[in-house]
Amino acid sequence: MIPVLPPAALGQEIAACTVLGASIGALRAVFPARGRAAFVPDLVWMGAVLAAVQSYAAGQSSAGVLRWYMAAAAFAGAGAAAFVLGAPLRAAGGVLQRRVLRPAERRRARRRKARKLRRSAKRTAKKRKKNLPNQRRMMYNSYVSK
């Protein structure tokens, strides 16, 4: 016969795995949600959820092994946290980018352009040394060089 956990222990394990998954899902909410840019964060996210749940199961679970409901609860918690927190965190990141990062980049670009203009103005303002033809190539008593 298969050993069955009491409902209280089962609920405790499910709650703990859900909280573990939700904490990792909150970190995942910061990264891109779709496309190629999301592949590596998703891969790391899945590995982190599985490692955390396996660690919990090995150390704290009364069963001592990873059960299907633990992994399901962890991924449900992680997905819910990423879904709930994803939009607000990305919106905050967009506001941060619009209000802080882009203006700073524009200021840097303006300073870089002004520095370039000053430098080119200095170069053109200087009197350049005349580039005379080589003495060997000049004909005696002539204004034309060959």
Side-chain angles (χ1 to χ4, degrees):
M1 184 167 181
I2 300 172
V4 180
L5 292 175
L10 186 68
Q12 181 184 3
E13 288 182 356
I14 290 174
C17 291
T18 304
V19 169
L20 279 173
S23 64
I24 295 169
L27 289 175
R28 174 61 184 94
V30 177
F31 296 103
R34 293 190 177 112
R36 288 184 184 170
F39 177 73
V40 173
D42 280 342
L43 195 66
V44 171
W45 175 65
M46 287 178 54
V49 169
L50 287 174
V53 174
Q54 180 63 43
S55 297
Y56 169 76
Q60 298 295 324
S61 167
S62 44
V65 294
L66 182 62
R67 305 284 178 134
W68 69 269
Y69 58 83
M70 291 178 177
F75 279 110
F83 178 75
V84 169
L85 296 174
L89 286 177
R90 282 191 288 276
V95 168
L96 175 74
Q97 190 173 25
R98 274 194 309 277
R99 300 285 172 120
V100 177
L101 300 177
R102 283 185 193 157
E105 178 59 35
R106 285 188 201 122
R107 284 191 299 272
R108 276 193 297 273
R110 278 195 301 264
R111 277 188 247 135
R112 194 178 313 124
K113 188 175 180 181
R115 188 172 50 238
K116 188 176 179 181
L117 288 174
R118 281 193 308 268
R119 187 171 164 223
S120 65
K122 278 184 184 178
R123 285 184 178 171
T124 56
K126 288 182 181 177
K127 290 190 176 182
R128 300 224 180 240
K129 184 177 176 182
K130 291 188 180 177
N131 206 3
L132 297 174
N134 197 349
Q135 291 293 329
R136 289 180 289 154
R137 299 194 70 196
M138 284 186 67
M139 292 175 57
Y140 180 72
N141 208 8
S142 172
Y143 297 108
V144 181
S145 65
K146 286 189 179 182

